[in-house]
Amino acid sequence: MSSSAQTTVPADDPARVAEFEARIARGETIEPKDWMPERYRRQLVRMMSQHAHSEVVGMLPEGNWITRAPSLRRKTSLLAKVQDEAGHGLYIYCGTETLGVDRRELIQQLLDGTAKYSSIFNYPTLTWADIGCIGWFVDGAAIVNQTMLAKASYGPYARAMVRICKEENFHKRQGYEIMATLAAGTPEQRAMAQDAVNRWWWPSLMMFGPHDKDSPNSDELLKWGVKRKSNDELRQRFVNLTVAQAKAIDLVLPDPDLRYNEETENWEFGEIDWDEFWRVVKGHGPCNRERLAARRAAHADGEWVRAAAAAYAAKHNASAAEAA
Amino acid sequence: MAEIPRTNSQHSTSSDDSQWPLWEVFLQPPKGQPHEHAGSVHAATAEQALQNARDVYARRGEAVSIWVVPSRAITASTPEDMGPFFDPGNDKAYRHPQFYKVPHGVRVF
């Protein structure tokens, strides 16, 4: 999730960098017009735009199930959730634009395939239980991550996260309710729920990114207060929270090495398949191509709406000019 | 305060993409509070900006009123102003109530 070419960045004045880092150390918030190291700005653009893209692409695996939701209640919930994800994408694009980039450029990078987004959305949603699992695991993991980012040193990012966190709890609860309902249902429904857990558990753990020792951007992001906790700390917190939730609805997390450590009070877990992680990040997951194709088609299909709005604005402006 | 991008490139109303002018969005939460900056939206017209702002920032009753302002129209102070521009004038003690003596015996003033 957080690998990028380490591009060379023009050197900043060391005195200003020291002053900047002192501000971070004092817990001050960095605002758009404040001086910041070029590298800080670039890291934020990279991270925030990836985050915004993830919200947008995240609509695709779920949108896939809106027409097939099993009841009107489930359908309206899912519609509202997908609408929220669109809103979340917009909050973060808006925050990213405060760093002096255009949303147009960012979206173009997504459509070109040069921008990254969360790999979790490159997995398919095969059954209805997958929608429950996405809410429970994927939104659950996102909450752990975003609660931390709500304290990020960059003001617009932190404020967008506060807004998102308020809405994300609904997403997780609706997902968990789907899973609890299926788990208490017929043997077929139970099996469907367990199958979804089996497929989504490990990719969800991968959402937190590589181990700290293998994460090229982590040190810098932690030093500058963009992140307040490391990938491994956040992953551990997610596991600790989720084990009890799985137990409560009698579903089994697919990890034979999962055990409680009395001393550390952590649920220890088995090794993640990092080969799979890197394969999907590099574009060879089950749905990478499909997701991008769907996104491109949606963008092209929306062209007439953009053209109509622009024509309306032009007409409006012309008649306003005439009246003046 | 308004979060105005550093390079405020306005690609007017070209229909090749979604980059309409940028508008800053201010929401008034219920209960008589002042409008507060929430974020920004792109929109071709003021009316569309209002609708977009409602859809993006006020889906759950967060606001009883919305203002949208073209980002270009906002004049903002700069961080360099931090010193003199916001000088509180702490040397002017006579601006504060403690400067004034109240006779003994007057407890609640």
Side-chain angles (χ1 to χ4, degrees), chain B residues 69-83:
Chain B
V69 183
S71 303
R72 273 180 302 188
I74 293 180
T75 307
S77 64
T78 68
E80 289 72 39
D81 292 335
M82 274 308 272

Side-chain angles (χ1 to χ4, degrees), chain A residues 91 94 156 159-160 163, chain B residues 1-3 24-28 35-40 53 56-58 66-67:
Chain A
Y91 299 159
C94 141
R159 290 191 286 274
R163 214 168 268 285
Chain B
M1 282 312 295
E3 290 161 0
E24 299 298 322
V25 177
F26 299 82
L27 303 182
Q28 183 181 33
H35 286 72
E36 192 178 74
H37 185 246
S40 60
V56 176
Y57 294 103
I66 301 177
W67 293 346

Side-chain angles (χ1 to χ4, degrees), chain A residues 31-34 36 41 83-84 87-88 90-91 94 97-104 107-108 156 159 163 167 170 299 303 306-307 309-310 312-313 316, chain B residues 3-7 9 11 13-20 22 27 37-40 42 44-45 47-48 55-57 59-60 62 76-80:
Chain A
E31 294 294 340
K33 290 178 156 189
D34 291 350
M36 60 187 82
R41 196 185 72 83
Q83 190 194 17
D84 276 352
H88 296 177
L90 290 173
Y91 299 159
C94 141
E97 286 189 301
T98 66
L99 292 159
V101 289
D102 280 348
R103 187 177 68 183
R104 181 216 294 260
I107 291 176
Q108 199 50 51
R159 290 191 286 274
R163 214 168 268 285
E167 298 178 344
F170 138 58
H299 195 74
E303 169 56 22
R306 295 190 292 277
Y312 176 79
H316 209 73
Chain B
E3 290 161 0
I4 306 154
R6 291 172 166 188
T7 54
S9 50
H11 298 280
T13 53
S14 69
S15 69
D16 62 322
D17 206 334
S18 55
Q19 194 79 18
W20 297 315
L22 195 62
L27 303 182
H37 185 246
S40 60
H42 287 274
T45 63
E47 191 187 353
Q48 192 198 5
D55 290 346
V56 176
Y57 294 103
R59 287 194 298 286
R60 291 186 171 81
E62 290 91 340
S77 64
T78 68
E80 289 72 39

Side-chain angles (χ1 to χ4, degrees), chain A residues 57-62 64-65 68 110 113 117-127 130 134 199-200 203 276-277 279-296:
Chain A
V57 177
M59 290 190 280
L60 299 172
E62 296 189 294
N64 180 29
W65 277 91
R68 293 177 285 161
L110 174 64
Y117 55 85
S118 180
S119 279
I120 195 77
F121 302 117
N122 289 321
Y123 290 85
T125 41
L126 303 177
T127 70
D130 289 21
I134 286 182
R199 284 182 291 109
W200 287 93
E276 175 181 330
F277 172 81
R279 227 173 18 247
V280 184
V281 167
K282 292 190 171 124
H284 307 297
C287 300
N288 296 56
R289 251 164 293 179
E290 190 185 327
R291 298 293 182 237
L292 269 189
R295 191 61 224 128
R296 286 187 193 122

